[in-house]
Amino acid sequence: MSSAAQQEKPQDSLVGQMIGSYRLLDKLGEGGMGAVYLGMHVGLLHEYAIKVLPKKQTESKDALKRFVREAQRAGELDHPNIVPVIHFGLEENKYFMVMVRVDGKSLKQVLRRFARAKRAVPLVDAVCWVRQAASGLEYAHNEGIIHRDIKPDNLLLGRDGLLRIADFGLARRVENEDLTITQTQQILGTPMYMPLEQWSAEQVDHRADIYALGATLYHLLCGEPPIVGKSAIEILRRRMDNKFDKPRKRRSEISPKLESAMLAMIERDAADRPRSMTSVLKMLDEACPEAREAAERALEGLAGEEPEASGESHRPAGVAAVPERAEPEPMPRSAKPATLEV
């Protein structure tokens, strides 16, 4: 095959090739801002997640700027609930970033598993996962960084029960941020999880992340985001009307306190939402203390303990496993944070 033909091959042809010191073993997924591969450092023999910017995207100044900014922003943050970026480079005209590999699934994949099994996500699980995300965002906000694209796709749940925030491609600093990217595009974000103020090219603050996380919690507990539609324009129109079912109407086991916290997070006007992620954490802890306990166990690493020979699970009380691909029967609850099937 000629070198010209090789260059025209689709990006998944990178599997098996080297990029920097890493050999790409498999393609894990692909989105608008690049493909993610399972890679191994040939010297250390450790596996990592490697995100590669497609060649066509390198021709776009905005796309390249977002990719570089994602690496820079995530590289500035050091928190157990944020996916660390440990390296960024350019190799043979390929921009790539190396991240710690999360052995698990995104919450989007988790939601699909529960939907296929015709089961609701257990309440404590959902609040536990969102609480962990809130902890990571609290840290990011205190460091002056806003994510701006919180959604189930960007929340990764590991086998160890620890949830990590990924994809800081739209993240910006609160102060001294170059707004060129925002100014050249009408919408940055994901419509079903975006607050009303993010639909314009105006600056948004940390309360946009509070809304998006609240919409994610609503989706986990109620089966879909609070505002849905067949197009971005339809979602925007419904967002302006701000009419949706209250959480307890969709799911009666949601307590009044938890419903109150969820509704506060997804208030239409930013001024009416909680003032900070610290306030969100306090509301969630008061509404569901079991979720805080489960999150703390995951953070302590107790979730990674091997089951005993009997095969009995050690998942924390109230935290269920994610359904297998075809699981007709509910799984029992026992005592170890949610585990995932690869």
Side-chain angles (χ1 to χ4, degrees):
M1 182 180 294
S2 68
S3 59
Q6 288 179 337
Q7 291 177 359
E8 293 174 359
K9 290 174 66 177
Q11 188 169 356
D12 54 0
S13 66
L14 290 177
V15 172
Q17 295 189 24
M18 293 289 296
I19 185 165
S21 301
Y22 304 87
R23 184 175 300 281
L24 305 185
L25 304 178
D26 194 12
K27 189 174 185 178
L28 301 177
E30 186 168 8
M33 285 306 300
V36 180
Y37 296 86
L38 173 64
M40 177 176 287
H41 190 287
V42 294
L44 300 175
L45 301 182
H46 287 174
E47 292 183 347
Y48 298 91
I50 301 176
K51 189 171 186 178
V52 182
L53 184 67
K55 183 178 179 181
K56 62 181 180 180
Q57 295 279 37
T58 63
E59 300 169 0
S60 165
K61 186 178 295 185
D62 280 352
L64 180 56
K65 197 169 188 177
R66 282 203 300 272
F67 192 79
V68 172
R69 184 168 63 184
E70 176 182 358
Q72 292 174 337
R73 293 292 174 262
E76 294 174 16
L77 302 174
D78 181 15
H79 189 276
N81 295 121
I82 295 175
V83 176
V85 171
I86 60 176
H87 182 66
F88 176 79
L90 174 61
E91 183 83 12
E92 296 182 355
N93 296 320
K94 299 183 184 72
Y95 287 88
F96 69 98
M97 70 179 79
V98 181
M99 302 168 287
V100 170
R101 180 196 176 203
V102 176
D103 185 14
K105 303 290 183 184
S106 72
L107 290 192
K108 180 178 181 180
Q109 293 170 309
V110 170
L111 280 163
R112 287 177 175 171
R113 291 282 180 87
F114 276 100
R116 283 198 295 264
K118 297 182 179 180
R119 292 176 51 198
V121 177
L123 188 146
V124 173
D125 289 46
V127 181
C128 171
W129 301 335
V130 166
R131 192 200 183 280
Q132 293 185 66
S135 181
L137 288 169
E138 177 190 41
Y139 167 79
H141 293 171
N142 288 340
E143 293 296 310
I145 294 176
I146 306 166
H147 190 283
R148 297 199 298 176
D149 198 22
I150 292 297
K151 57 184 177 180
D153 313 53
N154 292 336
L155 301 178
L156 309 182
L157 180 64
R159 284 179 176 273
D160 54 4
L162 198 63
L163 182 132
R164 298 168 176 86
I165 305 166
D167 199 343
F168 279 75
L170 297 186
R172 72 169 182 84
R173 277 204 164 275
V174 175
E175 71 283 346
N176 300 323
E177 180 65 44
D178 180 1
L179 297 178
T180 302
I181 296 175
T182 303
Q183 292 167 350
T184 58
Q185 299 195 29
Q186 292 183 344
I187 297 176
L188 283 178
T190 304
M192 287 187 294
Y193 305 95
M194 283 168 51
L196 190 60
E197 68 269 18
Q198 197 170 340
W199 286 79
S200 69
E202 299 175 2
Q203 281 186 298
V204 297
D205 62 20
H206 62 281
R207 291 170 295 185
D209 286 348
I210 291 176
Y211 179 93
L213 191 60
T216 297
L217 179 56
Y218 188 105
H219 190 170
L220 288 167
L221 291 178
C222 302
E224 65 180 10
I227 306 291
V228 296
K230 295 180 180 179
S231 68
I233 296 301
E234 183 179 355
I235 293 172
L236 175 58
R237 185 167 55 247
R238 292 182 176 180
R239 173 81 74 251
M240 294 176 72
D241 293 339
N242 204 39
K243 294 179 180 178
F244 57 89
D245 288 339
K246 296 292 180 64
R248 282 171 55 80
K249 182 177 180 181
R250 301 290 295 268
R251 187 167 175 177
S252 60
E253 68 175 302
I254 295 173
S255 69
K257 270 193 174 182
L258 182 56
E259 180 181 70
S260 178
M262 293 168 67
L263 292 175
M265 293 172 73
I266 58 176
E267 282 282 1
R268 170 179 161 163
D269 297 327
D272 294 329
R273 294 176 211 142
R275 296 182 62 183
S276 66
M277 277 296 174
T278 303
S279 298
V280 170
L281 285 165
K282 182 178 179 181
M283 294 170 70
L284 294 177
D285 290 347
E286 290 177 353
C288 188
E290 301 91 342
R292 176 179 181 172
E293 295 168 4
E296 289 175 347
R297 282 192 289 270
L299 191 61
E300 292 166 359
L302 300 180
E305 293 182 0
E306 293 294 328
E308 295 180 356
S310 64
E312 180 181 358
S313 170
H314 291 270
R315 194 174 299 109
V319 181
V322 174
E324 302 289 341
R325 283 189 174 85
E327 182 198 15
E329 298 296 330
M331 296 180 69
R333 296 186 179 190
S334 45
K336 183 179 175 184
T339 56
L340 297 169
E341 180 256 309
V342 176

